[in-house]
Amino acid sequence: MAFLLMFVTLLHLITLAMLFIATMEKQWWVWDATKNSDLWYNCMYDNATETWLCASSKETEWLQAVQALMVLSVVFSSISFLVFLGQLFTMSKGGLFYITGLCQIFAGLTAFAATLIYTLHHIEILGFKDSDSGHFGYCFILAWVCVPLLLCSGTIYVHLRKRE
């Protein structure tokens, strides 16, 4: 049982870190090695000064939805971890981690909604017509990887009982 508890805690921390990176890093869409876009900025590498020049992304309804859902996912996962720690030390023997599991499942569902919206509407979000001029970046893929991990850890939390 202690192994399962350590596993689910480690899984939770890993998915929380992955969610935070996916939300804050700057590679949701990559055109080439010198130009990319994320949820907050469009960046271009300037070879003359050897720095990244970033401008705020054009605010569209779809982009705002993705931003809000990804931030909400990070918040739900963070709350879930704090509630888990609180329940771990205050809950009576035999209790279930329902609140923790539900928060984690909500985090997975909000991340799923955000990545699905970005998948279906990236052309409108990025404001270009040629969808062959780039590809999804690692942060987008990281957000997709988080979805099943969050849902699985939420399900594990719902079935996990406090033994000691």
Side-chain angles (χ1 to χ4, degrees):
M1 187 61 174
F3 176 73
L4 180 61
L5 188 62
M6 287 188 313
F7 170 75
V8 77
T9 305
L10 187 62
L11 179 64
H12 195 138
L13 290 174
I14 289 170
T15 56
L16 184 59
M18 288 170 51
L19 267 179
F20 189 76
I21 290 168
T23 304
M24 300 308 293
E25 272 296 313
K26 60 182 181 213
Q27 288 209 356
W28 275 64
W29 187 264
V30 178
W31 284 275
D32 57 27
T34 62
K35 188 175 180 187
N36 59 42
S37 180
D38 68 356
L39 300 179
W40 315 102
Y41 298 104
N42 293 325
C43 298
M44 182 180 295
Y45 188 74
D46 184 19
N47 285 327
T49 61
E50 295 183 359
T51 58
W52 285 95
L53 305 174
C54 297
S56 294
S57 296
K58 180 183 172 192
E59 293 292 325
T60 64
E61 291 84 14
W62 293 118
L63 178 61
Q64 289 177 344
V66 173
Q67 289 172 339
L69 287 167
M70 285 303 293
V71 168
L72 196 58
S73 182
V74 171
V75 168
F76 271 133
S77 189
S78 300
I79 289 171
S80 176
F81 187 69
L82 294 175
V83 168
F84 170 68
L85 290 178
Q87 285 180 326
L88 192 60
F89 295 112
T90 61
M91 190 168 51
S92 62
K93 183 178 177 182
L96 295 170
F97 296 94
Y98 283 129
I99 297 171
T100 302
L102 288 176
C103 284
Q104 195 73 341
I105 289 170
F106 286 148
L109 292 175
T110 55
F112 174 72
T115 52
L116 187 63
I117 289 170
Y118 196 86
T119 302
L120 298 175
H121 297 284
H122 67 275
I123 293 173
E124 293 97 342
I125 289 172
L126 297 170
F128 64 88
K129 306 239 187 285
D130 184 18
S131 62
D132 294 333
S133 66
H135 58 86
F136 293 108
Y138 79 92
C139 289
F140 173 79
I141 296 166
L142 200 59
W144 268 116
V145 169
C146 282
V147 171
L149 293 176
L150 287 166
L151 294 174
C152 287
S153 69
T155 305
I156 291 170
Y157 275 126
V158 167
H159 294 292
L160 189 65
R161 282 189 186 273
K162 184 174 179 184
R163 300 281 176 159
E164 297 175 10

